[in-house]
Amino acid sequence: MNRLANEKSPYLLQHAGNPVDWFPWGPEALAQARAEQKPIFLSIGYSTCHWCHVMAHESFADPAVAAQLNEDFIAVKVDREERPDLDRVYMTYVQSLTGHGGWPLSVWLTPELKPFYGGTYFPPEDRHGRAGFPSILTAIARGWRDEREKLVAEGERAVAALRAHAAPAAPAAEDALAAAGEAFGQGFGYFEQAFDPERGGFGGPPKFPRAGNLAFLFRCAAMEGVASETGGLAVRMAAQTLRQMARGGIHDHVGGGFHRYAVDEDWFVPHFEKMLYDQAQIAMNALEAWQATGDERQAWLARDILDYVLRDLAHPAGGFYSAEDADSATGEWTDSGQAAQAEGAFYVWEEAELARVLGTDAPLFCSHFGVRPEGNVPAARDPQHEFTGKNILAAARPLGETAQLFQLGAQDASDRIVAGLERLRAVRARRPRPLRDEKILAAWNGLMISALARAAAVPAAALADRREAYLAAAVGAAEFVRRELGDETRGVLFRAWLDGRGAVEGFAEDYAFVIQGAIDLYEAAFDHRWLQWADRLQATMDGLFWDEAEGGYFNSAAGAADVLLRLKEDYDGAEPAPSSVAAMNLLRLGALRDDAGAEGIGAGAVRAHRTLAAFRPQWSRLPQGLPQMLCAFELALAPPRHVVLAGDPAAADFRALADVCRERLAPGRSLAGLDGGPAQAWLAERAPWLAPLQPRGGRATAYVCENYACQAPVTTPEDLRRLLYG
């Protein structure tokens, strides 16, 4: 038994029984490496990572490989979800060394934590001209023994390169803002060229549901107008991508939600893990798609995702678990007497099983989802032969065509297919479930709070009977994060909770995503305590992570002793970069504060502008790399826009006005609710112009203010709709 047995991380606990003498990252491991002058083998992964499982089974469970590691290295395990700052540093190194990255991440370090060699997954033996893991260990051990100075020199070179990457010169904020329009145009041009008009998405396989891409397109549409040529094209690209994702195998048609990515161009064969951050962001994309198009199918897609999360990823006390694994038990046994595991085993179906479960509706169902007796996964997409005779459910054609094929009305066909999916969900519930990573992360819960709050606010028919439940879930998650992951005395967040709060304090992404969630929750419920919380967290984030010299936010806090260097995330990938979200947060919070200085804008806006300027080298060269950050330019460049609702937020007339503000995709504006009580008093302290705004004639009243001037107040949804949308 190694030292991981006392850890809370599900990923580290998966390795607690390895014969490798693992250390968790911390003072003991680093001190031992220095004392023994051994190189560190750093292995970074996460609990639902398929190839992490493969390498663990092939190498880390092998006594001979473990003996090599134990003899020549200090072996350290890190859960990337607990320490994203370490993962970012060493992933940047491996990507620069090899041209690609991924997990498991395997890096060799000097005792001073400087990387000198690395890669991702290594096979257990030499194959196809590629060195296996034991050969790599032997070569590095020999090099450390005989030519240590060369490896140390490589570590110094690597650190110098990382520092150079981390410190581009930032232009003045006003120059960056002037260049934003060109970057917007270049970014839009990239997505227009890369768009797959038939299948949706951008570029070839593998296809990831990168939510920032769609968020950027919806911002383009909002700025240009949905009816304009550019805006209409932006909406069509984003909506088509969501529709094709929803039809594909990347979508769990039985249980709801989305898998991590698809290995093919058709969104058909997924990598089956499910991540909380994907669910939150895709749901937000779908809600914006409904606002842009009025297509209720997009609202149903958001409902599908959120109901899966509430059913399968919700902790009873309010927070949300991190992920579900790709692998699960097959019901068979290995030669060593262990339960056999396979990727996707929980999700795939044999035709005979579907026939037994669905009875007379099986032909309709199997035709619609492309089910075949021999299985529907082509051999070219199944290199491990895991899906022979199995079927991944993906809509083979639109529902209307299936109905026509079986001479049914569209509603009748839909009802039968939905009933079939419900029966399959009950059957599937009896299968061995994939591992659920029950770690609760502040950052990912922040994203889910945003998704739930926005769903509670959107007046789509498909969500009408769920809006109160979504708001309650958003409030419950926010209260959980505040209670279990917050330290009210110090005003800080902690990163993770699993049967108790972890010891690691939060990173920039935790603050940025939770602040966004708190602002979204305020705009859904008009409870000013969430705006107050966002304000306090923003002050803490500024104190811990802000780069006063160059602008933007470091991933790790000032004074972090065990991080080789502080980096800033400069890519909006599976999760948006902290600085991208922070820039928008600063502008949204600043819209409700009158603190204009010499620049003519408030302190928060100044910080937002400096953040945007800090990343100009990245977004001016490759704007598609930071699509979420580009969204913030909409608020940075536009004069302030406010909609202020005065009245009782619980009253029907107030809610009717609030619904109008969310019924269409529109340029960004600040939304505030004034109740005539403590909330209004607190807001008026920040922005005195809010103090006199009151309901008119005993009715909830809307004040629409743009470019420092307010239009005449209105009290009816029709009049407010006219002011907002023309």
Side-chain angles (χ1 to χ4, degrees), residues 194-499:
F195 180 60
D196 181 340
E198 180 182 351
R199 305 175 183 90
F202 307 93
K207 279 189 171 178
F208 287 81
R210 190 175 164 215
N213 296 348
L214 305 190
F216 169 74
L217 290 173
F218 285 127
R219 285 304 89 207
C220 290
M223 293 170 67
E224 295 290 328
V226 172
S228 70
E229 182 178 352
T230 298
L233 177 58
V235 168
R236 287 195 297 275
M237 289 192 290
Q240 170 72 342
T241 297
L242 287 168
R243 284 193 296 269
Q244 294 303 319
M245 286 168 51
R247 291 175 181 172
I250 192 174
H251 177 208
D252 179 4
H253 295 265
V254 172
F258 280 83
H259 301 297
R260 182 68 198 91
Y261 64 88
V263 304
D264 61 298
E265 66 274 14
D266 295 311
W267 305 102
F268 176 49
V269 181
H271 180 46
F272 284 90
E273 66 184 315
K274 287 180 169 181
M275 312 302 296
L276 182 67
Y277 59 76
D278 281 327
Q279 314 312 319
Q281 293 179 95
I282 299 170
M284 287 189 274
N285 287 156
L287 292 168
E288 283 205 295
W290 177 84
Q291 290 176 312
T293 65
D295 185 346
E296 285 292 327
R297 292 173 297 180
Q298 300 287 8
W300 279 107
L301 180 60
R303 177 176 179 141
D304 166 279
I305 297 167
L306 297 176
D307 286 355
Y308 154 68
V309 171
L310 294 182
R311 185 183 66 246
D312 291 341
L313 294 181
H315 187 283
F320 294 101
Y321 304 129
S322 294
E324 289 192 293
D325 207 329
D327 297 8
S328 57
T330 64
E332 299 175 351
W333 300 90
T334 66
D335 294 340
S336 60
Q338 295 180 321
Q341 300 270 323
E343 182 172 7
F346 183 70
Y347 298 100
V348 296
W349 301 87
E350 294 180 354
E351 186 200 42
E353 183 179 14
L354 294 174
R356 287 196 304 272
V357 173
L358 301 176
T360 57
D361 280 338
L364 168 70
F365 189 95
C366 291
S367 175
H368 184 67
F369 287 105
V371 173
R372 298 177 181 175
E374 70 277 14
N376 65 1
V377 182
R381 298 181 184 177
D382 185 20
Q384 306 298 320
H385 308 295
E386 291 180 300
F387 304 125
T388 302
K390 309 291 185 182
N391 290 273
I392 297 171
L393 299 187
R397 66 184 68 84
L399 178 62
E401 292 183 17
T402 298
Q404 202 170 39
L405 188 65
F406 283 81
Q407 299 182 331
L408 297 170
Q411 189 60 52
D412 188 14
S414 175
D415 290 345
R416 293 189 188 189
I417 288 172
V418 168
L421 291 170
E422 291 173 352
R423 290 202 293 273
L424 293 183
R425 185 161 64 243
V427 170
R428 201 175 74 176
R430 297 194 289 270
R431 294 178 177 177
R433 286 196 70 91
L435 168 76
R436 183 171 64 187
D437 185 335
E438 297 191 348
K439 180 171 72 268
I440 295 175
L441 298 175
W444 298 1
N445 273 255
L447 292 174
M448 186 49 63
I449 291 166
S450 282
L452 288 163
R454 295 184 195 185
V458 165
L463 304 177
D465 63 333
R466 300 292 291 150
R467 291 173 66 184
E468 289 187 12
Y470 294 153
L471 182 59
V475 170
E479 289 176 338
F480 182 96
V481 172
R482 189 170 180 172
R483 180 180 67 248
E484 303 294 345
L485 288 167
D487 182 327
E488 290 289 299
T489 303
R490 295 173 54 213
V492 300
L493 289 173
F494 283 75
R495 172 66 175 174
W497 187 97
L498 180 61
D499 298 326

Side-chain angles (χ1 to χ4, degrees), residues 454-704:
R454 295 184 195 185
V458 165
L463 304 177
D465 63 333
R466 300 292 291 150
R467 291 173 66 184
E468 289 187 12
Y470 294 153
L471 182 59
V475 170
E479 289 176 338
F480 182 96
V481 172
R482 189 170 180 172
R483 180 180 67 248
E484 303 294 345
L485 288 167
D487 182 327
E488 290 289 299
T489 303
R490 295 173 54 213
V492 300
L493 289 173
F494 283 75
R495 172 66 175 174
W497 187 97
L498 180 61
D499 298 326
R501 191 171 72 189
V504 177
E505 291 192 12
F507 302 97
E509 66 184 59
D510 295 295
Y511 286 86
F513 299 175
V514 171
I515 291 166
Q516 175 186 269
I519 298 170
D520 285 331
L521 186 50
Y522 167 74
E523 291 194 351
F526 300 102
D527 183 340
H528 75 294
R529 63 180 169 139
W530 302 121
L531 206 55
Q532 291 175 313
W533 189 39
D535 237 12
R536 290 196 296 272
L537 289 177
Q538 187 63 59
T540 303
M541 183 180 184
D542 292 344
L544 292 175
F545 303 98
W546 176 250
D547 180 358
E548 185 57 47
E550 301 292 344
Y553 292 88
F554 291 108
N555 295 339
S556 51
D562 61 349
V563 181
L564 185 63
L565 71 163
R566 298 171 78 199
L567 295 181
K568 299 173 192 171
E569 181 60 64
D570 59 1
Y571 180 72
D572 292 324
E575 303 167 62
S579 291
S580 298
V581 177
M584 185 72 83
N585 291 342
L586 288 162
L587 293 164
R588 294 175 73 188
L589 290 170
L592 292 174
R593 183 188 292 277
D594 286 346
D595 60 351
E599 298 90 347
I601 56 175
V606 170
R607 204 178 291 264
H609 291 184
R610 290 194 63 202
T611 297
L612 298 172
F615 292 87
R616 180 178 176 180
Q618 289 82 8
W619 55 253
S620 61
R621 185 178 71 255
L622 290 171
Q624 66 270 23
L626 282 166
Q628 198 75 47
M629 180 168 284
L630 292 181
C631 293
F633 277 109
E634 179 194 1
L635 294 185
L637 293 170
R641 304 182 185 99
H642 301 86
V643 178
V644 182
L645 305 179
D648 177 4
D653 59 350
F654 187 103
R655 294 199 303 269
L657 294 176
D659 280 353
V660 172
C661 299
R662 300 142 172 166
E663 68 186 16
R664 299 185 199 175
L665 189 69
R669 56 174 66 93
S670 173
L671 184 60
L674 305 180
D675 62 355
Q680 186 156 351
W682 182 79
L683 285 165
E685 288 177 7
R686 298 158 49 95
W689 66 274
L690 295 173
L693 303 185
Q694 301 290 333
R696 296 294 183 93
R699 301 177 65 183
T701 302
Y703 296 83
V704 177

